[in-house]
Amino acid sequence: METFYVTTPIYYVNDVPHIGHTYTTLAADTIARWKRLAGADVFFLTGTDEHGVNIERRAREAGVPPQAWVDRIAPQWQALWKRLGISNDDFIRTTEPRHIRVAQQLFQTAYDRGAIYKGTYEGWYCSSCEAFYTEDELLDGQLCPIHKRAVQWTAEENYLFRLSQYRDWILRKIEGEPEFIQPDTQRNEMLSLVRGGLRDLAVSRLSVKWGIPVPFDPQQTIYVWVEALINYVTAIGYLDNPARYQRFWPQVHHLIGRDITRFHAVIWPCFLEAVGLPSPKQVWAHGFWTVEGEKMSKTRGNFIDPIGEITRLAEESGAEWDVAADAFRYTLLREVPFGQDGDYSHGALVHRFNADLANDFGNLLNRTLPIVERHFGGQIPAPGAPEGPDGALRKAAEEVPKAAGQRIGTFDFTRGLAEIWRFLGVANKYIDEAAPWSALKAGTTPRAGAILYNTLEALRIATILLTPVLPSATQRVWEQLGIAAPLAAQRLADARWGGLTAGARIRPGTPLFPRIEKTPALASAARPPEATKQATLLERSSGGRRPGGDARKLGSTTSSKGGTEMSEITIEEFNKIDLRIAEVLAAKRVAGADKLLELRIKIGDTTRTLVAGIAQQYAPEALVGRKIVVVANLQPRRLRGVESQGMLLAANDGDRAILLAPDQDVPSGLRVS
Ligand code: MSP
């Protein structure tokens, strides 16, 4: 059985968690879940980095002893991960005795082997901080960045690690193992750093009291970076659980941000080599997030608090909090190729929520289950013999687990998710084309059943594949599908065509991803400029109506007062409205709304749903087969739980909405201009 050990950096307890920290942990959680799904034996570690001068200082500012401070902050990190549903197997704190023991033992080993020697460390020292600073950390090249006071050039006697001696060894390793440091940009950076030469490294501090004492010289504490890196060895059981250590350590993947690659990919392997332990298998350094083009900083006040973002999305959409958390996670992983820097905006989150989760995933479920409920007594219909477009759907379903797995399993989340969304696209197209509603109308109920079975089977497979990225939402989809076997017990092998059991009782629920009806401000953040212009135009041409406006007027495109108060538009602006002839395939009343009808329409060879406020003028049966005119490129919106994917045109005098129709019979799909 494959073993897989993944770590996040251990987070400093002097900081509040923001999107950057959350990103590393969410990515690690996703890969851990993916590997479990693929059948591997996984160990996933995160934790907190609790020693060092900065934490000591932070505690002093708070007026509490360092231990009390770290005991206050560490649980907040644990609580954050719990709230986000992170599936870590352990949480290590560097102040725990288990870690102190391992750190001291490895430090002693390095000393005993002659890799650590006593020397002198020189640098810019701030006596208020009791800390050394490098030249580029100083303000104006001469002041302490914290106290804004002059620093002194100071020499401190301490212990140094013979890093320089490992230069050739680490260079050969990085050159010879292309996968050791990823992505390649980071690998190249490390190569040039190492080629430039390595200097011995001070690995103890006389001046820092808040740290783990050097075992052979307790006046000194172990340099916090070396000590912190050792956490990865401690937690897997180097001293406590040697069997587990043996099994997992050779498979360790350190997931980090690119600012700390040097520590993980150069210093750490050299130290491990010095104490006779194997190097990590891989160091994977992701990029940095900016927020709306700016670097995150406390002074700018643009720190993105993940909990705040998720709560805002949950409030805007009405989605459950844990589903909104999934959407946040999905957006971070989908938006930016792993390894590249990215820019975060709330608009991107809203866009992904609406376009990918509500439309492509959620809506496929929402449009399928009600038909099964109504026409098949809520039981999954029998599959039937394959015909027509069934083969293409099945083929896509058979290909997607491997295609997605090759990407996600190697940290390429963006392309892995694109593969799954490509498959969802095939499934959406399938139901449109196979049109179970037409089969029902034609009285070929078993065929309608087979189409629904195939669509639900595609959904089942997509749901299994999405568990690592949408752990909560997929659980809810699974419940709606009514599958008896627990989702948590599913493996990649279960994502095989035909696994859905006919006859099982579905459990339709409320839509998981209720579309966000955007305010204009949000709309412009989330949509490309073209689309925004187009929506604005439509709002104006319909008498200033907002997308979230009165549903009753939906069937109308002209103001009841006529056009005199409207501003002029150019022909180019008008041409942006995609007006089409459509044929009504089916119509029914929307439950609980006396003015609304839900229409299934056909535009050329595609079908879609429309909600229109014409129930008082038209009986549903009277509309079937009629040709109407629709706006085909209007942003979808949800009305009474039904997504309307367009708008029909009607003359409207305030009380009545009278349908526009072509003067002669013309095929559906024809452009109106
Ligand atoms: N304590 C050290 C790690 C020791 S590991 C043995 C540390 N902690 S940290 O809390 O400052 O940072 C933790 C992680 O957050 C790092 O991987 C860092 O790269 C990441 N990020 C911090 N800000 C970030 C962004 N703006 N964007 C993406 N990741 C960022 O370093």
Side-chain angles (χ1 to χ4, degrees):
M1 186 192 238
E2 187 198 349
T3 49
F4 187 79
Y5 177 23
V6 61
T7 66
T8 73
I10 48 173
Y11 301 98
Y12 287 130
V13 285
N14 56 353
D15 221 346
V16 287
H18 60 62
I19 187 177
H21 311 118
T22 313
Y23 184 51
T24 322
T25 302
L26 289 176
D29 187 59
T30 303
I31 195 97
R33 287 174 184 270
W34 182 271
K35 292 285 178 180
R36 289 189 201 112
L37 185 69
D41 191 6
V42 173
F43 197 91
F44 168 22
L45 175 70
T46 188
T48 39
D49 192 351
E50 304 190 356
H51 285 125
V53 72
N54 291 319
I55 286 153
E56 198 176 28
R57 186 190 308 134
R58 198 69 190 73
R60 200 180 313 125
E61 283 164 11
V64 294
Q67 188 65 52
W69 172 258
V70 300
D71 286 346
R72 184 194 298 173
I73 305 298
Q76 295 180 15
W77 283 86
Q78 277 166 304
L80 170 70
W81 303 142
K82 192 150 194 274
R83 186 121 199 248
L84 293 176
I86 301 302
S87 65
N88 52 305
D89 296 291
D90 197 355
F91 185 97
I92 188 163
R93 298 182 51 188
T94 53
T95 50
E96 288 175 62
R98 60 170 172 160
H99 176 65
I100 295 170
R101 223 153 60 88
V102 178
Q104 288 190 324
Q105 177 165 329
L106 291 186
F107 203 80
Q108 181 76 50
T109 306
Y111 185 63
D112 293 345
R113 291 176 157 225
I116 286 177
Y117 63 95
K118 196 158 197 176
T120 304
Y121 183 80
E122 289 185 317
W124 295 107
Y125 186 73
C126 168
S127 50
S128 305
C129 298
E130 296 181 281
F132 284 95
Y133 287 100
T134 60
E135 206 136 308
D136 45 331
E137 285 172 326
L138 298 177
L139 282 183
D140 304 327
Q142 54 179 345
L143 301 178
C144 160
I146 308 295
H147 298 91
K148 322 271 186 298
R149 281 172 31 182
V151 287
Q152 290 91 41
W153 183 258
T154 310
E156 185 185 281
E157 210 180 45
N158 48 27
Y159 293 91
L160 286 101
F161 171 55
R162 295 188 196 281
L163 186 61
S164 58
Q165 286 194 351
Y166 294 88
R167 185 241 177 213
D168 293 351
W169 174 82
I170 190 73
L171 184 60
R172 275 197 308 276
K173 183 173 172 64
I174 301 174
E175 281 173 345
E177 296 174 32
E179 294 299 309
F180 174 55
I181 304 173
Q182 279 295 306
D184 284 343
T185 45
Q186 285 292 297
R187 176 169 181 263
N188 292 337
E189 217 170 278
M190 291 304 115
L191 276 173
S192 64
L193 183 122
V194 174
R195 284 188 185 126
L198 294 175
R199 287 180 51 199
D200 288 355
L201 177 77
V203 287
S204 73
R205 294 286 187 273
L206 189 59
S207 50
V208 179
K209 295 290 161 249
W210 181 239
I212 298 179
V214 169
F216 44 86
D217 187 349
Q219 290 290 93
Q220 304 249 358
T221 55
I222 303 176
Y223 173 45
V224 68
W225 256 107
V226 169
E227 183 238 289
L229 287 159
I230 292 172
N231 90 85
Y232 303 132
V233 173
T234 306
I236 200 62
Y238 179 63
L239 288 182
D240 302 345
N241 191 341
R244 192 175 67 190
Y245 165 78
Q246 293 292 346
R247 197 151 42 96
F248 281 102
W249 182 253
Q251 297 303 326
V252 66
H253 295 252
H254 295 315
L255 204 56
I256 57 168
R258 65 168 164 74
D259 55 330
I260 56 178
T261 315
R262 186 166 62 98
F263 294 101
H264 284 81
V266 178
I267 297 173
W268 178 226
C270 292
F271 183 83
L272 287 166
E273 176 71 6
V275 296
L277 297 183
S279 285
K281 172 131 177 156
Q282 189 173 53
V283 176
W284 227 109
H286 64 67
F288 255 56
W289 284 97
T290 48
V291 173
E292 288 173 2
E294 293 202 60
K295 192 171 177 285
M296 265 185 287
S297 82
K298 288 209 181 91
T299 41
R300 282 202 188 91
N302 64 349
F303 263 69
I304 294 284
D305 158 29
I307 300 293
E309 272 302 281
I310 294 167
T311 306
R312 182 173 164 196
L313 183 72
E315 280 166 4
E316 281 164 353
S317 63
E320 296 292 338
W321 199 90
D322 59 324
V323 171
D326 281 2
F328 179 70
R329 171 188 183 112
Y330 170 78
T331 302
L332 294 189
L333 295 175
R334 179 80 199 259
E335 275 295 291
V336 177
F338 206 59
Q340 291 180 22
D341 289 352
D343 189 51
Y344 182 81
S345 73
H346 188 75
L349 176 63
V350 170
H351 178 70
R352 289 286 175 192
F353 182 87
N354 276 347
D356 298 5
L357 298 174
N359 278 9
D360 299 338
F361 185 40
N363 201 35
L364 188 57
L365 185 76
N366 303 340
R367 51 201 287 220
T368 312
L369 292 185
I371 316 180
V372 174
E373 189 68 16
R374 206 170 317 125
H375 297 280
F376 295 87
Q379 289 184 317
I380 297 195
E387 60 179 87
D390 300 4
L393 178 67
R394 179 174 177 158
K395 183 162 177 286
E398 282 167 354
E399 287 167 356
V400 65
K402 192 159 170 230
Q406 276 169 347
R407 301 295 190 186
I408 298 178
T410 54
F411 297 89
D412 188 352
F413 302 109
T414 306
R415 278 194 274 189
L417 287 168
E419 291 291 349
I420 300 175
W421 253 261
R422 206 191 330 270
F423 173 56
L424 285 172
V426 171
N428 274 299
K429 189 160 166 266
Y430 170 80
I431 191 166
D432 280 343
E433 285 177 7
W437 39 87
S438 305
L440 283 172
K441 211 172 114 197
T444 46
T445 309
R447 175 62 191 149
I451 297 165
L452 293 165
Y453 176 92
N454 292 338
T455 310
L456 291 173
E457 175 59 344
L459 264 167
R460 184 190 70 90
I461 289 170
T463 302
I464 294 176
L465 299 180
L466 284 170
T467 51
V469 183
L470 307 171
S472 293
T474 48
Q475 184 58 45
R476 291 166 185 270
V477 172
W478 201 252
E479 280 156 22
Q480 296 206 12
L481 289 173
I483 301 171
L487 180 58
Q490 302 296 302
R491 293 289 167 265
L492 216 44
D494 298 304
R496 203 179 294 132
W497 188 264
L500 187 68
T501 315
R505 180 82 180 82
I506 58 159
R507 313 213 169 280
T510 49
L512 294 177
F513 306 103
R515 257 191 86 79
I516 299 170
E517 304 300 350
K518 294 165 203 148
T519 62
L522 256 177
S524 61
R527 270 187 276 155
E530 268 320 296
T532 311
K533 266 190 250 147
Q534 175 190 305
T536 317
L537 170 73
L538 287 169
E539 281 156 33
R540 259 198 280 136
S541 67
S542 57
R545 247 179 12 247
R546 292 272 171 261
D550 184 2
R552 198 169 60 90
K553 294 182 187 160
L554 200 76
S556 144
T557 55
T558 50
S559 152
S560 56
K561 293 191 196 113
T564 48
E565 81 278 23
M566 290 192 187
S567 53
E568 284 179 348
I569 59 166
T570 63
I571 187 70
E572 288 77 24
E573 283 176 304
F574 175 76
N575 283 340
K576 286 181 187 160
I577 309 175
D578 188 14
L579 293 172
R580 299 280 173 164
I581 299 294
E583 182 187 351
V584 180
L585 299 174
K588 62 175 184 182
R589 292 182 185 280
V590 173
D594 56 358
K595 290 170 181 141
L596 295 182
L597 288 186
E598 179 183 337
L599 308 182
R600 193 71 203 161
I601 58 161
K602 179 169 174 295
I603 306 175
D605 49 11
T606 64
T607 58
R608 54 170 89 179
T609 301
L610 220 83
V611 178
I614 52 171
Q616 296 193 324
Q617 281 74 47
Y618 298 92
E621 337 43 276
L623 290 171
V624 176
R626 281 189 62 161
K627 299 273 169 58
I628 55 173
V629 183
V630 299
V631 180
N633 61 339
L634 191 63
Q635 275 232 325
R637 53 177 299 211
R638 184 165 288 279
L639 291 157
R640 302 281 176 146
V642 183
E643 188 176 82
S644 183
Q645 300 154 329
M647 180 167 86
L648 57 74
L649 298 193
N652 196 323
D653 67 3
D655 295 324
R656 295 171 310 149
I658 309 302
L659 283 176
L660 296 194
D663 191 35
Q664 294 178 13
D665 192 28
V666 286
S668 79
L670 212 64
R671 178 108 210 233
V672 177
S673 54

